[in-house]
Amino acid sequence: MSDSQLPPISVADVQRSVTAELDRIAPVIDSIGEAFARSGFELALVGGPVRDAMLGRPHNDLDFTTSARPEETEKILRTWGEGLWDMGRDFGTIGTRKGPWQVEVTTYRSEAYSADSRKPSVAYGTSLADDLVRRDFTVNAMAVRLAGPQGKERSVVDLYGGVVDLATRVLRTPGTPEASFSDDPLRMMRAARFAAQLGFTVAPEVVAAMKDMASRITIISAERVRDELVKLICAPYPRRGLSLLVETGLAELVLPELTALRMERDEHNRHKDVYEHTLTVLEQSIDLEARLGGGPDFVSRFAALMHDVGKPRTRKFHDDGTVSFHHHDVVGAKMTRKRMKALRFSNDEIEAVSSLVELHLRFHGYGDGEWTDSAVRRYVRDAGDQLERLHILTRADCTTRNRRKADRLARTYDALEARIERISEEEELAALRPALDGNQIMSLLDISPGREVGAAYKFLMDLRLDEGLLSEDEAAKRLLDWWSERG
């Protein structure tokens, strides 16, 4: 995934893109504009939809801002739209659906955080200009005034140079960045996220303000920080956003494990730059995630980002000039669980990512010792439903510049995957179970549910892993022999 500087966009291309997109969504924006105008209210398409229209990125989620208060907006949308939702009413937002379009209409507003509040206070504004100045970045502070019933043409409103910043791919704030980040500290995370999503450069004064005000992020809830982090990592250019978080000190507060990877290199360069290695592994895992069959995969990407976080705690220099990171996989998995819990990730996400971190070294040694079929089965069993992601992480973890070594590792892993596929076809590895289930075990041994059933099941599972498929008769015989030996 290339992260080089993207070329600027010509203003003419911006104008052509926005015209084409407004023509595409004309059925909905002209209709809703007329509905609000008939009731005496202003309405404008605003924010992300305008920015993306100028970038030639069409989508069907449309945001509007209006002079109408929420209760007035609700009356209009009840007759204009198809369904209604008002979960954002406290922030002045009412939503509806119109054919394929999802529509949200928000009253002109301003909002700010107090010094110790985790939630913004909301005050309604009186003009489009007041509403735009409170937005996070100039490229999101553009609007399109909509036509009224008298046929007034649509017009672009760009009070803060958003078109030029978009064309030159620069991220700036409408007012001072200090005021913007004071109003909502989460905008510092959003700056990194937009850099990752759009490939934009963040203006120097914005970066400076992020450095000075980084500590303000601590008043934001873990859930909101998590959501921005997920969007950043799932963006096309995550290296840009992550590097900005580290540079500004925000990473030290929201993902300190990443900053810790920038360990001081020893004077003899006896180990690679773990931080740069990690970002390269992330990019290489993105290049491989088509194997999963979908779009951006957060679990795969975050596992790549966290796979070596145990190294700073386990680094040890030896007298012979070598350096080791023994058990950094196990330590890293524990650190990953702790961080993801702090960020309020779901249990399933925590388990998936931390398991991948713990397993990411398992492959090493396969080419030297030639694993037995039993070892391959255990590899598949331990990976479980994360096997394909483990394939991706293990392949991405090769960042050597030695082409012969890289080719050898790739061929070795090709061989392992082929072997897994062969054994899977022969033995149904995806459903690794003993030949006998719990009820059969209890009947055969004449025992009740309890620890002995679990011990018997484990014995049969170890047989399955070591020897492959057994018939029920053979499994029963081996189980009875085992039971007899136990006395």
Side-chain angles (χ1 to χ4, degrees):
M1 172 69 61
S2 174
D3 196 21
S4 58
Q5 181 65 44
L6 298 176
I9 311 167
S10 73
V11 173
D13 285 341
V14 169
Q15 292 171 336
R16 280 192 291 269
S17 294
V18 74
T19 298
E21 176 61 3
L22 292 179
D23 287 344
R24 184 185 76 88
I25 64 177
V28 65
I29 64 174
D30 289 347
S31 172
I32 193 173
E34 291 174 0
F36 274 78
R38 282 195 299 268
S39 297
F41 300 112
E42 299 174 355
L43 186 74
L45 184 69
V46 72
V50 178
R51 177 199 70 223
D52 288 346
M54 293 181 176
L55 289 170
R57 297 169 46 176
H59 56 72
N60 288 349
D61 294 339
L62 304 178
D63 297 326
F64 298 88
T65 186
T66 181
S67 58
R69 293 301 175 94
E71 61 275 12
E72 296 159 335
T73 296
E74 182 176 356
K75 290 178 183 178
I76 297 170
L77 295 185
R78 281 195 182 279
T79 58
W80 178 85
E82 303 162 4
L84 198 78
W85 57 88
D86 64 352
M87 289 83 75
R89 179 182 290 275
D90 290 344
F91 297 97
T93 301
I94 307 293
T96 189
R97 183 180 62 257
K98 186 75 165 181
W101 288 283
Q102 299 287 334
V103 170
E104 289 192 345
V105 182
T106 303
T107 302
Y108 296 153
R109 71 186 190 191
S110 60
E111 62 187 33
Y113 284 82
S114 61
D116 57 355
S117 173
R118 289 178 178 266
K119 295 182 179 180
S121 58
V122 176
Y124 295 132
T126 58
S127 70
L128 178 59
D130 290 341
D131 184 85
L132 295 179
V133 75
R134 58 154 286 275
R135 296 188 175 261
D136 51 8
F137 303 105
T138 60
V139 295
N140 294 330
M142 298 179 287
V144 176
R145 289 189 186 273
L146 301 181
Q150 290 79 30
K152 187 177 180 181
E153 291 186 1
R154 300 187 296 255
S155 60
V156 174
V157 180
D158 177 19
L159 304 177
Y160 304 103
V163 170
V164 173
D165 286 344
L166 186 145
T168 54
R169 299 185 185 274
V170 175
L171 210 59
R172 303 183 192 276
T173 54
T176 66
E178 290 80 8
S180 181
F181 298 153
S182 179
D183 285 348
D184 185 352
L186 190 65
R187 290 173 176 172
M188 294 184 286
M189 290 288 296
R190 285 168 63 84
R193 190 246 291 185
F194 282 125
Q197 283 184 332
L198 303 174
F200 282 21
T201 298
V202 181
E205 68 273 14
V206 176
V207 174
M210 292 170 68
K211 291 179 179 179
D212 291 342
M213 303 180 67
S215 62
R216 286 277 286 161
I217 199 66
T218 58
I219 71 170
I220 303 297
S221 69
E223 291 82 358
R224 294 185 73 202
V225 170
R226 174 203 63 206
D227 290 348
E228 287 297 326
L229 193 60
V230 170
K231 292 174 184 176
L232 187 161
I233 290 170
C234 290
Y237 313 102
R239 177 189 282 265
R240 285 177 176 268
L242 293 168
S243 298
L244 184 61
L245 292 182
V246 171
E247 176 190 354
T248 58
L250 283 163
E252 183 63 37
L253 299 167
V254 301
L255 195 63
E257 296 79 6
L258 179 61
T259 301
L261 292 177
R262 296 200 303 179
M263 297 181 290
E264 289 185 12
R265 301 273 302 270
D266 62 285
E267 61 179 340
H268 302 294
N269 292 322
R270 289 174 292 184
H271 67 88
K272 70 180 76 174
D273 185 328
V274 181
Y275 174 73
E276 285 298 324
H277 163 76
T278 294
L279 295 181
T280 300
V281 172
L282 171 59
E283 291 175 325
Q284 292 184 168
S285 72
I286 293 172
D287 291 339
L288 293 169
E289 68 185 3
R291 293 174 55 138
L292 299 174
D297 184 71
F298 172 76
V299 168
S300 178
R301 295 185 183 200
F302 201 57
L305 188 65
M306 302 293 283
H307 79 284
D308 273 349
V309 296
K311 279 190 170 180
R313 292 190 181 181
T314 58
R315 182 174 64 167
K316 184 176 181 181
F317 295 109
H318 301 282
D319 293 339
D320 63 359
T322 61
V323 61
S324 66
F325 303 96
H326 293 314
H327 308 302
H328 78 266
D329 47 345
V330 176
V331 172
K334 292 179 179 178
M335 294 170 65
T336 297
R337 285 190 180 93
K338 183 177 180 180
R339 178 54 49 200
M340 293 186 74
K341 285 181 180 178
L343 289 170
R344 306 291 194 271
F345 280 98
S346 70
N347 289 335
D348 287 345
E349 290 171 313
I350 294 172
E351 184 58 33
V353 175
S354 58
S355 294
L356 288 168
V357 172
E358 187 165 357
L359 292 170
H360 83 274
L361 290 181
R362 185 71 65 87
F363 161 73
H364 295 285
Y366 172 78
D368 298 329
E370 190 57 29
W371 287 2
T372 62
D373 283 355
S374 172
V376 174
R377 294 186 195 103
R378 292 176 189 278
Y379 188 79
V380 173
R381 188 274 307 271
D382 291 346
D385 60 1
Q386 300 304 316
L387 181 60
E388 192 61 44
R389 288 186 174 119
L390 183 57
H391 290 334
I392 290 173
L393 177 58
T394 304
R395 288 181 179 275
D397 196 22
C398 175
T399 61
T400 178
R401 295 180 180 178
N402 184 323
R403 180 46 32 195
R404 293 178 64 182
K405 181 179 179 181
D407 290 344
R408 177 176 59 80
L409 286 170
R411 287 195 303 271
T412 303
Y413 206 84
D414 286 342
L416 175 58
E417 285 200 58
R419 196 165 167 200
I420 290 172
E421 185 175 356
R422 175 182 62 77
I423 297 176
S424 294
E425 291 176 354
E426 296 172 356
E427 302 182 9
E428 300 179 4
L429 285 185
L432 265 175
R433 290 185 294 271
L436 306 177
D437 63 22
N439 290 327
Q440 291 171 302
I441 291 171
M442 289 187 289
S443 176
L444 186 66
L445 301 182
D446 192 24
I447 57 178
S448 300
R451 292 182 180 178
E452 296 291 2
V453 178
Y457 190 90
K458 182 180 184 303
F459 167 75
L460 291 174
M461 176 58 86
D462 287 340
L463 276 182
R464 171 74 173 86
L465 292 169
D466 290 339
E467 302 183 22
L469 290 171
L470 298 176
S471 68
E472 288 191 9
D473 289 343
E474 177 63 18
K477 177 180 180 303
R478 301 281 288 275
L479 179 64
L480 288 171
D481 290 344
W482 171 81
W483 185 249
S484 176
E485 291 174 2
R486 285 169 58 92

